[in-house]
Amino acid sequence: MHNSRRSFITLITSLSLMGAAHFAHAADAPHVLLKTSMGDIVLELNPEKAPKSVENFLAYVKSGQYKGTIFHRVIDGFMIQGGGFDKAMKQKPTKAPIKNEAENGLKNERYSVAMARTGNPHSATAQFFINVNDNAALDYPGQDGWGYAVFGKVIEGKDVVDKITQVKTETNGMYQNVPVDPIIIESASIKK
């Protein structure tokens, strides 16, 4: 009886410490404020699970890359994508692409934030997307053996994300699902 009580106390202590460690990690996670023409969105990033993606995204935030870019691809029930084009649909220059971190265990769930890329799994640069549905087909290994790397989640402004999904879209040149009225990222800044 004495040993089972000691085991129980050890188990409770271990669980408490694990919970405290998780809370401390969440408290230290960087937050990024996206001020958009439709309202504010706050992202919480996960450098523990996606270090390269978070470092890349924060470097673009610090450089001012996202100021004046738009959410250029909006598909209700799927995702909203931005960070690469200005309101004239001119693509902004980027740094070198990063390695795909989709094997990190984070899922493309509703309100998660992931790196956008081309058909090349290691082609992500500045563009990102916010899932507006649970998109398990984008999780590692995906349909191409890689999937799309999640590196954060929306913690404030989910109503803004939902509002963006409802805008009218059109085809603009070779680009489909482009909002008729541009949804501008007016600024991106690190909150903490």
Side-chain angles (χ1 to χ4, degrees), residues 24-133:
H25 166 72
D28 292 341
H31 291 180
V32 171
L33 169 63
L34 299 177
K35 287 192 141 326
T36 80
S37 54
M38 292 188 73
D40 294 351
I41 301 169
V42 178
L43 309 176
E44 180 179 84
L45 309 184
N46 191 329
E48 183 180 309
K49 296 268 190 171
K52 289 184 183 345
S53 299
V54 169
E55 178 184 12
N56 177 68
F57 186 75
L58 289 175
Y60 281 118
V61 169
K62 291 174 186 172
S63 75
Q65 171 82 10
Y66 296 122
K67 182 177 181 168
T69 62
I70 61 170
F71 282 100
H72 66 275
R73 189 170 175 223
V74 173
I75 304 173
D76 187 22
F78 182 44
M79 59 90 204
I80 63 174
Q81 181 175 337
F85 293 86
D86 66 18
K87 62 184 179 182
M89 288 301 291
K90 181 179 174 207
Q91 194 162 8
K92 292 187 78 169
T94 63
K95 299 179 299 175
I98 60 170
K99 183 180 182 311
N100 188 324
E101 294 181 303
E103 289 182 83
N104 63 20
L106 298 174
K107 304 294 182 196
N108 282 278
E109 299 168 331
R110 189 171 185 196
Y111 302 119
S112 63
V113 184
M115 295 303 304
R117 62 174 177 84
T118 66
N120 175 347
H122 305 292
S123 61
T125 56
Q127 292 186 40
F128 62 92
F129 62 93
I130 300 172
N131 288 288
V132 298
N133 206 346

